[in-house]
Amino acid sequence: MKKIAIAGTGYAGLVTGVCLAEIGHSVICVDKESTKVEILKKGKSTIYEPGLEEMLKRNLEAGRISFTASSSEAYKDAEIIIITVGTPKTKDGLLDLHYINQVSIEIGQSIVRPDVIIVTKSTVPAGTSEKIKEWIKLTSPKKLNFHIAANPEFLRQGSAIHDMFHGDRIIIGSESEYALNCLEDLYKPFGIPIMKTDTSSAELIKVAANAFLALKISYVNALSNYCEQIGGNIEDVAMGMGMDNRIGLSFLNAGIGFGGSCLPKDTEALVNMAQKAGEPNKLLEEALQINRRQELRLFQKAQTRFSNLKGKRVAILGLAYKPDTDDVRESAAIKLARQLVKEEASIIAFDPVSIENAKLELGELISYTNSLHEALKGADLAMIVTDWEEIKTIDLNTFSELMKQPVVFDGRNCFQLEIVEKYPIEYHSIGRPSVYGKMKKEIP
């Protein structure tokens, strides 16, 4: 059993802390927001992640995890300190290390035992570990020996606990053999392949992996737009491509682009890091451009279909950037809503869990509901933005029964075309032919 301190109780920090406690370690999580700490102490999760709250309560009751707002309390007895604070995007598209710097100073001021391992799990530019080492050295009054390591996280929101226990790999980077061996022992109980490397390579792996996934998504989305022009079906194209083991099917689902806290930020960060190093990456630059265009694809389709969206009642189905999370960062729904507001459309948005986060972005510009049926009632058109299970399993008759006009724009290709054809729906999806089902009357 190791004594572990987690700096930050955001997505990566809370999930990592709870899962490390689950396998028997003693974990203390520190966060400057005292209100958040008090909520967590009561066993309430501050993020939406399936299964997390139950695991949190279990480990609190067992005494394996605790929470504090005091950095000195968290770090003074720790054998391993894991930094998980945010690295938001700057105006220049780089990763902001302000919080990393702040935590490093607090660690330097607080550690009292030698050979503490300080691990960076936050997404950072290559070379950040050296900066952390210097920040700690400058502020540590006792000048203790410590070890620096990089351990990027690869947690997918909505399946983060599964990824902790069943991920593809664990990356550990350090110039210290002691740190590499200790962290290898820490993670062995998960039974996941462990790769050991240097710190700079470990730091780069995270942004490189996410940028490659972004590239794959943008590629299939560019193809989907071409499919629409020639009357092809992107799902068949993607299936034919993905059956090649060198390519694979994952991240070949056409849609309205990628969002969230990782892919957009990490891709843009790698573009800017490469530019700064004198090795510009035009391929990734274009991937970002494709994604920006794709985010408004549904708006363009609706504008073409209706000519004028002023006064139209639009149901936006889904606000989170993906299902099973309440995260709306870089969500296409937020950008779509803002564009529709400019056109003076009337918008009601449905989402089962992320409404409060969406309100922080959109305020009272639109209306909200956690009832799918309420969103569709009287709508002139519906736009599917997040493929929540509740949306994917809806009785397709519901569109014609509740909407003023059953015109559906599906940004996630939730339904099979041959099934939609059996219902009275006008259906427009991504990279596939439009479907005009068994309409009871012609829609204007």
Side-chain angles (χ1 to χ4, degrees):
M1 182 185 77
K2 295 288 186 183
K3 291 184 177 180
I4 302 166
I6 308 284
T9 60
Y11 204 90
L14 187 57
V15 172
T16 299
V18 170
C19 289
L20 286 172
E22 181 74 5
I23 63 172
H25 296 292
S26 176
V27 179
I28 182 168
C29 299
V30 60
D31 198 291
K32 290 298 183 183
E33 293 185 37
S34 56
T35 52
K36 184 188 286 190
V37 168
E38 292 306 312
I39 292 170
L40 291 166
K41 283 181 176 180
K42 295 174 183 176
K44 296 287 185 181
S45 177
T46 50
I47 59 172
Y48 179 82
E49 176 64 32
L52 181 61
E53 190 161 283
E54 293 81 358
M55 191 178 288
L56 169 62
K57 289 177 180 177
R58 181 164 64 246
N59 284 282
L60 273 171
E61 291 169 2
R64 289 189 295 264
I65 192 167
S66 61
F67 299 91
T68 182
S70 168
S71 55
S72 59
E73 179 187 351
Y75 304 143
K76 65 180 181 179
D77 292 323
E79 298 171 78
I80 299 172
I81 300 172
I82 302 177
I83 300 172
T84 69
V85 295
T87 50
K89 185 175 67 174
T90 68
K91 291 180 179 180
D92 299 326
L94 298 171
L95 297 174
D96 186 351
L97 300 181
H98 171 74
Y99 298 113
I100 298 282
N101 171 257
Q102 193 175 65
V103 167
S104 300
I105 291 171
E106 291 169 354
I107 290 171
Q109 294 169 340
S110 303
I111 55 175
V112 295
R113 60 190 303 164
D115 291 318
V116 177
I117 301 171
I118 293 98
V119 184
T120 312
K121 193 171 278 291
S122 304
T123 302
V124 295
T128 301
S129 292
E130 283 301 311
K131 291 182 179 180
I132 292 172
K133 183 189 294 185
E134 291 306 311
W135 290 330
I136 293 174
K137 281 183 177 180
L138 287 171
T139 54
S140 177
K142 297 188 177 181
K143 306 301 178 185
L144 297 167
N145 185 52
F146 60 90
H147 307 267
I148 295 290
N151 171 222
E153 56 89 9
F154 300 96
L155 304 178
R156 297 169 298 165
Q157 291 178 243
S159 56
I161 292 175
H162 177 273
D163 291 343
M164 278 292 296
F165 287 91
H166 307 283
D168 297 322
R169 79 291 201 199
I170 293 170
I171 306 294
I172 304 168
S174 182
E175 275 62 55
S176 163
E177 283 296 322
Y178 175 79
L180 289 171
N181 293 333
C182 285
L183 292 174
E184 184 177 28
D185 289 341
L186 177 74
Y187 286 119
K188 268 183 181 177
F190 289 108
I192 297 171
I194 295 173
M195 174 185 167
K196 295 188 285 187
T197 183
D198 60 272
T199 50
S200 291
S201 295
E203 290 164 341
L204 180 57
I205 284 168
K206 172 65 186 294
V207 290
N210 279 344
F212 183 80
L213 297 177
L215 187 64
K216 201 171 179 183
I217 294 169
S218 289
Y219 178 71
V220 79
N221 279 334
L223 281 178
S224 75
N225 298 337
Y226 180 56
C227 277
E228 290 181 14
Q229 297 301 316
I230 64 171
N233 187 322
I234 190 59
E235 290 185 329
D236 292 342
V237 174
M239 177 64 74
M241 290 168 54
M243 290 174 72
D244 186 327
N245 290 329
R246 297 168 301 173
I247 298 173
L249 282 167
S250 63
F251 288 82
L252 280 184
N253 297 316
I256 48 175
F258 52 82
S261 62
C262 291
L263 264 62
K265 183 184 75 170
D266 292 359
T267 306
E268 189 168 350
L270 186 53
V271 165
N272 284 284
M273 284 189 283
Q275 184 74 39
K276 193 174 180 181
E279 295 290 341
N281 192 319
K282 299 296 183 183
L283 196 61
L284 289 180
E285 289 176 23
E286 182 56 26
L288 288 171
Q289 290 299 323
I290 291 170
N291 195 61
R292 293 187 186 105
R293 294 194 294 268
Q294 201 70 15
E295 288 170 334
L296 294 178
R297 190 71 177 173
L298 292 190
F299 170 76
Q300 293 162 352
K301 285 175 175 284
Q303 198 172 45
T304 299
R305 165 63 179 79
F306 287 97
S307 297
N308 188 355
L309 295 171
K310 183 178 181 179
K312 296 292 184 185
R313 182 175 172 84
V314 182
I316 292 181
L317 307 184
L319 290 165
Y321 87 94
K322 63 178 284 189
D324 293 324
T325 179
D326 59 354
D327 196 343
V328 300
R329 285 175 289 182
E330 297 293 335
S331 170
I334 303 299
K335 297 166 187 177
L336 182 60
R338 289 196 175 112
Q339 191 64 40
L340 288 166
V341 167
K342 289 181 182 178
E343 297 296 313
E344 299 183 52
S346 172
I347 306 158
I348 182 165
F350 157 79
D351 197 282
V353 300
S354 64
I355 287 175
E356 293 308 311
N357 285 338
K359 283 182 178 179
L360 296 176
E361 297 287 336
L362 295 170
E364 301 304 317
L365 288 175
I366 67 172
S367 299
Y368 308 87
T369 178
N370 55 15
S371 166
L372 180 55
H373 285 207
E374 182 65 28
L376 291 172
K377 190 174 180 180
D380 292 294
L381 63 149
M383 295 180 167
I384 299 174
V385 183
T386 314
D387 47 340
W388 286 101
E389 191 66 23
E390 185 176 349
I391 296 171
K392 294 193 296 182
T393 57
I394 191 174
D395 182 342
L396 293 179
N397 280 315
T398 307
F399 291 110
S400 59
E401 290 170 356
L402 293 178
M403 294 177 69
K404 182 179 178 182
Q405 303 180 93
V407 183
V408 179
F409 297 89
D410 185 357
R412 299 300 178 190
N413 291 356
C414 292
F415 310 113
Q416 296 179 21
L417 298 182
E418 57 270 25
I419 292 177
V420 177
E421 287 176 346
K422 300 175 184 177
Y423 294 85
I425 304 171
E426 181 181 327
Y427 180 74
H428 307 275
S429 53
I430 303 295
R432 306 186 298 177
S434 294
V435 171
Y436 302 85
K438 297 182 178 179
M439 309 302 295
K440 294 179 181 177
K441 61 180 181 179
E442 185 177 348
I443 298 175

